[in-house]
Amino acid sequence: MPRQQSWKIQAELPVEYEIIESHGLLDPDNPDLLRLPGGRRGTGTRLVVLDHSVDELYGAEIRSYFSKNKVVVDYLTLPGSEENKSIERVLEVVNKLNEVGTNRLSSPPIVIGGGVVADVVGLAASLYRRGIPFVRVPTTLLGQVDVSVAAKSGINYGGYRNRLGAYTPPPRTLIDRRFLATVPDRQLRNGMGEIFKMALIKDLRLFELLEEYGAELIETRFQDPRAGSTGLPGTVADEVIGRAIAGMAEELQPNLWEKDLQRSVDYGHSFSPLVEMRALPELLHGEAVAMDCIFSALIAADRGLIDDAQLERIIAVARRMGLEPSHPLFCDVALVLDGLADTVRHRDGRQNLPMLTGIGQVCFLNDVTENEIERACAGMGGLLDANAGRPGQRIGSDL
Ligand SMILES: NC(=O)c1ccc[n+]([C@@H]2O[C@H](COP(=O)([O-])OP(=O)(O)OC[C@H]3O[C@@H](n4cnc5c(N)ncnc54)[C@H](O)[C@@H]3O)[C@@H](O)[C@H]2O)c1
Ligand SMILES: O=C(CO)[C@@H](O)[C@H](O)[C@H](O)[C@H](O)COP(=O)(O)O
Ligand SMILES: [Co+2]
């Protein structure tokens, strides 16, 4: 037998990326969009990818910003919405990077738009030359409170959410809340779906803020400093956005590469991914997440982990923010079980289901049964009726 040799390579990859609020981002005197982390300016032609609505609403301002700053820029406009989180759109970005002649490090593309274009460009950047930096400017509420913190990007493929993706955080994400002034109501409610998740898993104060001011924040598009004024420094809008981002950052940082598949931020993302894909284009991501939060809360209440009053309070807050608690596809036991089976594969063979033990607290379950799922589906049926005026009721009570 010839001797067999072996080698082992070990390396560490320190990662640092920043999420910065920058008011008046498109003011030509504001240098934030031009700087790379470390303060340098980029070189070469910069590709700026714009969400189509952003181009319509802010395209002239964006073009004037770069031309006043004498930056050589080329533009690509892509559509938002979930159906466009596709491999075709990723390749469109790759082709444009080739055309523009993007440098390996010094001319990072800039993406300005919602979570969909951020994910598409994020994946393209992580594949291009095996990974180039990019700059992310989220312009939706969901983008600013959730995508802004993310290290990963993903696209939908084969009927599954985020089936293809990568972990390549952009060195810099810039948030200007002024973009929210033009975001349609439904999209703002959609963003509230992810804030609702964050409040439920770890932040009672955030939940109380949503309870009291959520509807008003949507109405005023997070723009009015007087909305929900508590007389404290900073506005309620600042506090809600700040707490959501800080909560997400605190959860992601210690487990950025998701080696631990017990993740509380997966709350709201256990049963919904397949339902959301099947419902396309009817349900938006944050809407499906909010429904999954309630589906999971029904299981928790059925087990006695939370009480009926807490369950009703959770459903009432969702409704107050204009988020429907249920959808007929959440009553389809076979579909929900199929979705859970895929989630179990995603969590490497375990359910790891984040489950509320109170508002702002979670535990993880690995023994949720088909019977419990059936009862939760029936409970979602009860909430469909409730959409027409009946108050939510504990699952199992009308079986
Ligand atoms: N990478 C991650 O870890 C991560 C984290 C959270 C969410 N996401 C993804 O984000 C996606 C959802 O993002 P989204 O809710 O922003 O959806 P989206 O990107 O489809 O944007 C929603 C709509 O708002 C429009 N829009 C964007 N900015 C606007 C503005 N300022 N004014 C008016 N209209 C504007 C878009 O054109 C689109 O029609 C989901 O696919 C989700 O998976 C990814
Ligand atoms: O929707 C997303 C990511 O697309 C985020 O809101 C969310 O917090 C998490 O990343 C979820 O835990 C979902 O993760 P995954 O199913 O995409 O792996
Ligand atoms: Co999500």
Side-chain angles (χ1 to χ4, degrees), residues 85 119 146 152 161-162 194 197 248 258 263 265-266 269 273 285 346:
K85 237 173 72 156
D119 263 353
D146 189 344
K152 60 188 183 184
R161 266 184 65 72
N162 293 334
E194 293 280 12
K197 166 194 93 171
M248 193 67 173
E258 303 184 14
R263 305 172 69 234
V265 290
D266 278 345
H269 297 73
H285 176 63
H346 194 54

Side-chain angles (χ1 to χ4, degrees), residues 197 200-202 251-252 254-255 258-271 292 296 299-300 303 305-306 340 343 347 350-358 360-369 372:
K197 166 194 93 171
L200 288 173
I201 59 170
K202 65 179 289 160
E251 289 303 309
L252 294 194
N255 186 26
E258 303 184 14
K259 298 301 172 210
D260 180 359
L261 294 173
Q262 218 168 247
R263 305 172 69 234
S264 54
V265 290
D266 278 345
Y267 193 66
H269 297 73
S270 298
F271 308 98
D292 181 315
S296 302
I299 297 174
R303 280 204 176 198
L305 294 171
I306 57 171
L340 177 59
T343 291
R347 297 179 191 163
R350 290 171 69 78
Q351 289 183 338
N352 287 343
L353 289 170
M355 219 33 86
L356 299 185
T357 52
Q361 289 167 22
V362 277
C363 68
F364 290 90
L365 297 183
N366 274 295
D367 58 354
V368 172
T369 64
E372 286 176 286

Side-chain angles (χ1 to χ4, degrees), residues 137-338:
V137 181
T139 58
T140 58
L141 179 61
L142 194 146
Q144 297 197 346
V145 296
D146 189 344
V147 185
S148 63
V149 193
K152 60 188 183 184
S153 52
I155 54 157
N156 307 323
Y157 186 73
Y160 292 102
R161 266 184 65 72
N162 293 334
R163 188 51 23 122
L164 300 174
Y167 293 85
T168 317
R172 163 166 278 215
T173 294
L174 296 164
I175 297 180
D176 184 353
R177 207 186 318 142
R178 189 176 71 101
F179 284 114
L180 302 185
T182 52
V183 171
D185 278 8
R186 184 175 174 199
Q187 294 292 346
L188 289 174
R189 292 197 291 274
N190 180 47
M192 284 296 203
E194 293 280 12
I195 303 179
F196 180 57
K197 166 194 93 171
M198 193 50 66
L200 288 173
I201 59 170
K202 65 179 289 160
D203 194 340
L204 177 60
R205 160 83 182 154
L206 181 56
F207 183 85
E208 288 167 352
L209 287 171
L210 295 183
E211 194 164 41
E212 199 165 346
Y213 305 113
E216 197 181 342
L217 289 173
I218 295 169
E219 217 169 283
T220 54
R221 296 194 150 63
F222 285 78
Q223 302 299 305
D224 186 350
R226 288 157 308 165
S229 176
T230 54
L232 295 170
T235 65
V236 172
D238 287 329
E239 191 176 352
V240 165
I241 291 182
R243 292 186 88 91
I245 293 177
M248 193 67 173
E250 201 176 277
E251 289 303 309
L252 294 194
Q253 181 167 274
N255 186 26
L256 205 58
W257 316 119
E258 303 184 14
K259 298 301 172 210
D260 180 359
L261 294 173
Q262 218 168 247
R263 305 172 69 234
S264 54
V265 290
D266 278 345
Y267 193 66
H269 297 73
S270 298
F271 308 98
S272 62
L274 196 58
V275 168
E276 186 188 334
M277 286 295 104
R278 293 292 160 83
L280 271 181
E282 195 189 332
L283 280 182
L284 302 177
H285 176 63
E287 293 171 343
V289 167
M291 288 173 186
D292 181 315
C293 289
I294 286 166
F295 189 94
S296 302
L298 287 167
I299 297 174
D302 191 40
R303 280 204 176 198
L305 294 171
I306 57 171
D307 61 30
D308 285 354
Q310 288 170 311
L311 175 63
E312 272 164 31
R313 195 174 164 203
I314 292 167
I315 295 168
V317 169
R319 284 216 174 97
R320 206 168 297 164
M321 295 192 294
L323 287 162
E324 294 288 352
S326 185
H327 181 277
L329 289 181
F330 271 104
C331 311
D332 179 338
V333 179
L335 177 65
V336 172
L337 285 172
D338 266 4

